[in-house]
Amino acid sequence: MLAASSIVPLLLLEIGAVALVLALLARLAVRTGFSPIPLYLLVGLTIGAISPATLNQVTVDVIAQVAVILLLFMLGLEFGAEEIALSVRAHLGSGIVDGVLNFIPGLVAGFVLGWGPVAALLLGGVTYISSSGIVAKLLDDLDRLGNLETPAILSVLVIEDMAMAVYLPLIVALLAGAGLLTGVVAAAGATAALLVALYVSVRHGSALNRGISHPSDEVVLLTVVGILLAVGGGVEMLGVSAAVAAFLVGIALSGNVADRARVLLAPVRDLLAAGFFVLFALQIEVERIPEVAGVAALLWVVTSLTKVATGVWATRRVAGVVGRARAGTALIARGEFSIVLAGLAIGTTQEPLLGPLAATYVLLTAVSGPLLARVSDPLTRAWVRRRKRA
């Protein structure tokens, strides 16, 4: 008991110091208009390099799981069933182009590195999906929410997140050692659950929201969190991803309940997400990052170009050259979902280089994406002027 009582104050001191560092970095991110995700990753990598420690894996898993559930739930809250249906109808072709151009580079890189098919599939997912959080914040910061190209950008993001709802159960099943058939069945089940969630949101959303609604914020918060954790735990016991279930619960909620849940859970989500990114980076073997730095840089260049191509294709009928360049550069940043995918492989028998590669890749894209989006207008206009003179 004495040893434990002497460790607790030190642990509290360390956690408090890390939280204050994260707070300073978050202030810096807000002031500069950049995402704090790469900064949180750097904190975890720095701590791991200076003072590597053996983490309690159960604690890490629980924090990571709850953080991922909240991240995906809040993402689901952003999308209504009607919006999803309209996005899929209007931009399904752009979503397919996006998947082909951005999933294949990661998949091919995994096989070229000599990885197994599951690790290669994971890397394909890492390079495929843009960060909805970073892109949405970027569009708001640059005052582009009313631009002609913005609906196409948001539609591409919606389709990516829908694809992840099917992809996650497949990859979780394969990571668990199940066969391809089991993974396909899990993906089919997730697709069915997605359709059910959309149906419930359209047909019975008002009844669901009335059942959850209450004048007390405390009641609403406890009800929503209880539903999320109970549903997440239940579907995990059935072999389905809790993250996908949380995403679908977010889609099913709408109206006043969705607005209140967004306000009440946003600070909790941000706190746990910061801890999740730090803990993810802490588990990475920092000394192995130089081994993958070249591959990460190459993937960054290739998939930045393919995301620009995706944006140009998606906005070819609604925007001019400048608008197309804006759309392409806005989609470059990868973030929370890519780290979630890489985190799935840590602690399993999959390729140990996937974590360092994903972290380096996300750092490069999350920093360069907002920068390129900010300078895309003057660079594109200068290019157009040179073309006209020529």
Side-chain angles (χ1 to χ4, degrees), residues 206-217:
S206 57
L208 176 64
N209 289 305
R210 280 198 304 272
I212 297 176
S213 182
H214 193 275
S216 169
D217 287 343

Side-chain angles (χ1 to χ4, degrees), residues 41 76 127 196 223 252 288 291 304 309:
L41 290 174
T127 60
V196 169
T223 303
R288 306 202 71 170
E291 298 179 41
S304 294

Side-chain angles (χ1 to χ4, degrees), residues 6 29 32 67 117 123 129 158 164 173 217 231 246 272 287 299 304 322 355 359 361:
S6 62
T32 57
L123 185 57
I129 187 163
V158 169
M164 283 293 111
D217 287 343
V231 170
L272 288 177
E287 64 275 6
L299 281 174
S304 294
V322 174
Y361 174 76

Side-chain angles (χ1 to χ4, degrees), residues 20-308:
L20 288 173
V21 171
L22 296 180
L24 291 173
L25 294 176
R27 285 173 178 265
L28 176 63
V30 170
R31 180 168 296 182
T32 57
F34 284 94
S35 166
I37 291 176
L39 300 178
Y40 296 159
L41 290 174
L42 285 173
V43 169
L45 292 172
T46 303
I47 295 173
I50 296 174
S51 178
T54 302
L55 298 172
N56 184 321
Q57 195 59 45
V58 174
T59 303
V60 172
D61 290 343
V62 170
I63 293 175
Q65 187 77 305
V66 175
V68 170
I69 286 173
L70 286 178
L71 280 169
L72 272 293
F73 170 69
M74 299 293 283
L75 188 60
L77 287 176
E78 300 298 326
F79 303 129
E82 294 85 357
E83 179 187 357
I84 292 170
L86 289 173
S87 298
V88 172
R89 275 203 301 268
H91 293 281
L92 180 58
S94 300
I96 294 173
V97 169
D98 179 33
V100 171
L101 290 181
N102 296 287
F103 188 89
I104 290 179
L107 180 69
V108 171
F111 284 125
V112 169
L113 290 169
W115 296 359
V118 178
L121 283 170
L122 269 169
L123 185 57
V126 169
T127 60
Y128 162 55
I129 187 163
S130 300
S131 170
S132 298
I134 295 177
V135 175
K137 185 176 187 304
L138 181 64
L139 293 175
D140 186 40
D141 289 343
L142 298 180
D143 197 23
R144 294 181 182 175
L145 291 175
N147 286 13
L148 291 175
E149 73 275 2
T150 298
I153 297 172
L154 297 178
S155 295
V156 169
L157 295 176
V158 169
I159 293 172
E160 285 184 352
D161 294 324
M162 294 302 103
M164 283 293 111
V166 179
Y167 167 84
L168 264 179
L170 171 65
I171 208 69
V172 168
L174 294 176
L175 281 170
L180 179 61
L181 179 60
T182 303
V184 171
V185 171
T191 304
L194 174 60
L195 295 175
V196 169
L198 294 176
Y199 174 80
V200 169
S201 179
V202 173
R203 298 292 184 182
H204 307 288
S206 57
L208 176 64
N209 289 305
R210 280 198 304 272
I212 297 176
S213 182
H214 193 275
S216 169
D217 287 343
E218 182 181 2
V219 172
V220 173
L221 181 61
L222 289 173
T223 303
V224 171
V225 171
I227 290 173
L228 283 175
L229 298 183
V231 170
V235 299
E236 284 278 345
M237 293 174 69
L238 298 175
V240 181
S241 170
V244 173
F247 182 66
L248 298 180
V249 171
I251 291 174
L253 297 182
S254 60
N256 181 57
V257 170
D259 293 337
R260 290 177 68 187
R262 194 180 295 113
V263 172
L264 293 171
L265 283 172
V268 183
R269 184 272 317 269
D270 293 340
L271 176 63
L272 288 177
F276 167 69
F277 292 125
V278 172
L279 289 173
F280 167 81
L282 270 174
Q283 298 174 84
I284 292 174
E285 299 175 73
V286 181
E287 64 275 6
R288 306 202 71 170
I289 287 181
E291 298 179 41
V292 297
V295 177
L298 180 60
L299 281 174
W300 165 55
V301 172
V302 171
T303 57
S304 294
L305 293 174
T306 53
K307 279 294 182 183
V308 170

Side-chain angles (χ1 to χ4, degrees), residues 8 308 317:
V8 170
V308 170
R317 296 174 181 170

